[in-house]
Amino acid sequence: MKNQKICIVDDEPKILRFISANLKSIGYEVSTVSSGEELFDKFDLISPDLILLDIMMPGQDGFYVLEKLRKFSNVPVIMLTARSNAQDKVQGLNVGADDYLTKPFSLDELFARVNAVLRRTQSSFADAQTAETPIIRTGVLAIDLGSKRCWIKDEEFKLTQTEYSVMEILALNLDKVVQHEVLLSEVWGPQYRDDIEYLRVGIARIRRKIKEHLQNKEEYIATYPGLGYMLRSIPQE
């Protein structure tokens, strides 16, 4: 898992030095930039496996940077902020963040979040390289478990690694209710099993992406309040 590339985006030099030194000490390759503009200028050169993105930056704030980033990349992103406002957390997840970390944070917490996101991303990538697995179909929706991609008819719709992990678990349990805590534990990790906001926002983003490609607005993912979610079998058109 080490020797992976992490990019830190923060306008505070002291924060950049502190996080960079500690991540390098456990084997990560680290790049630092001080703004969203610099990130986009150097993105292809850096080619990060994970981005740590500060929210409160002058000029382009972290929300704007992430929204722009998601137009061309699904690289995992952990947002960093000095504010513990729950609305900020939801906004970050809504624009495509994979996790959210409030300053000040301990190094143990930082390492745990980084390791969890990278493990989830890399395991999905490794499976896609080696697995000869089926395509699960329901209605016009297809989930290719081998390539880790999703399709509506002949058109692919892009999911982040985290969103795909949620979709995969639902697809593997087609027509079965998957409990909130199971999805949270499997996708984000056991420490997140009670953090329903991550899942609620993730499901909403997946639904929105599916419906952007549909004409009949069929609801593929059913909600079971207080229990969980189900990917439904829908007859082929």
Side-chain angles (χ1 to χ4, degrees):
M1 295 297 293
K2 300 301 186 288
N3 298 320
Q4 292 167 306
K5 294 180 285 187
I6 299 176
C7 180
I8 310 166
V9 187
D10 199 305
D11 63 309
E12 297 183 44
K14 186 175 180 180
I15 293 291
L16 289 176
R17 291 194 300 269
F18 174 74
I19 298 177
S20 177
N22 282 285
L23 288 174
K24 286 179 178 178
S25 74
I26 59 172
Y28 290 110
E29 182 180 334
V30 181
S31 300
T32 62
V33 296
S34 58
S35 68
E37 294 92 333
E38 188 179 0
L39 171 66
F40 295 128
D41 286 344
K42 298 180 177 178
F43 187 84
D44 290 337
L45 179 64
I46 296 171
S47 188
D49 296 302
L50 173 68
I51 294 174
L52 302 180
L53 176 62
D54 186 44
I55 291 179
M56 299 297 292
M57 294 186 295
Q60 298 180 356
D61 68 14
F63 297 128
Y64 178 89
V65 172
L66 180 55
E67 191 168 8
K68 186 175 177 180
L69 180 69
R70 282 292 176 252
K71 293 179 180 178
F72 67 88
S73 174
N74 287 326
V75 61
V77 173
I78 299 175
M79 302 203 80
L80 309 177
T81 182
R83 303 187 303 192
S84 58
N85 189 331
Q87 188 174 357
D88 284 350
K89 177 179 175 180
V90 172
Q91 185 176 352
L93 295 172
N94 268 325
V95 293
D98 294 84
D99 207 343
Y100 184 99
L101 197 52
T102 303
K103 302 175 184 177
F105 46 77
S106 69
L107 287 175
D108 285 344
E109 184 177 15
L110 172 65
F111 295 159
R113 300 292 181 96
V114 167
N115 289 337
V117 171
L118 285 173
R119 183 170 58 250
R120 182 165 69 242
T121 304
Q122 294 303 308
S123 62
S124 293
F125 177 80
D127 290 346
Q129 303 306 302
T130 60
E132 295 183 4
T133 46
I135 297 175
I136 296 175
R137 299 182 186 276
T138 172
V140 297
L141 174 63
I143 302 96
D144 188 330
L145 301 181
S147 67
K148 306 294 181 182
R149 299 161 76 186
C150 298
W151 307 81
I152 295 288
K153 295 185 178 178
D154 295 325
E155 186 175 2
E156 181 180 6
F157 63 96
K158 300 288 188 180
L159 298 177
T160 67
Q161 291 286 353
T162 299
E163 290 162 359
Y164 175 79
S165 295
V166 172
M167 178 63 87
E168 182 177 71
I169 293 171
L170 292 174
L172 289 169
N173 292 276
L174 188 64
D175 287 328
K176 298 176 183 175
V177 178
V178 184
Q179 293 179 301
H180 296 142
E181 55 267 31
V182 171
L183 281 165
L184 286 163
S185 296
E186 290 292 326
V187 175
W188 283 270
Q191 67 273 32
Y192 294 85
R193 60 181 291 114
D194 297 319
D195 203 333
I196 194 67
E197 203 61 59
Y198 281 85
L199 185 55
R200 185 176 295 117
V201 173
I203 291 289
R205 282 178 55 83
I206 295 169
R207 282 173 168 157
R208 185 164 62 246
K209 290 180 178 183
I210 291 174
K211 288 183 177 180
E212 286 173 356
H213 293 77
L214 291 176
Q215 294 181 343
N216 60 8
K217 303 303 179 186
E218 187 76 68
E219 185 60 81
Y220 279 81
I221 301 176
T223 299
Y224 288 78
L227 186 58
Y229 297 95
M230 174 198 289
L231 183 65
R232 301 168 54 224
S233 284
I234 293 174
Q236 297 285 336
E237 290 186 351

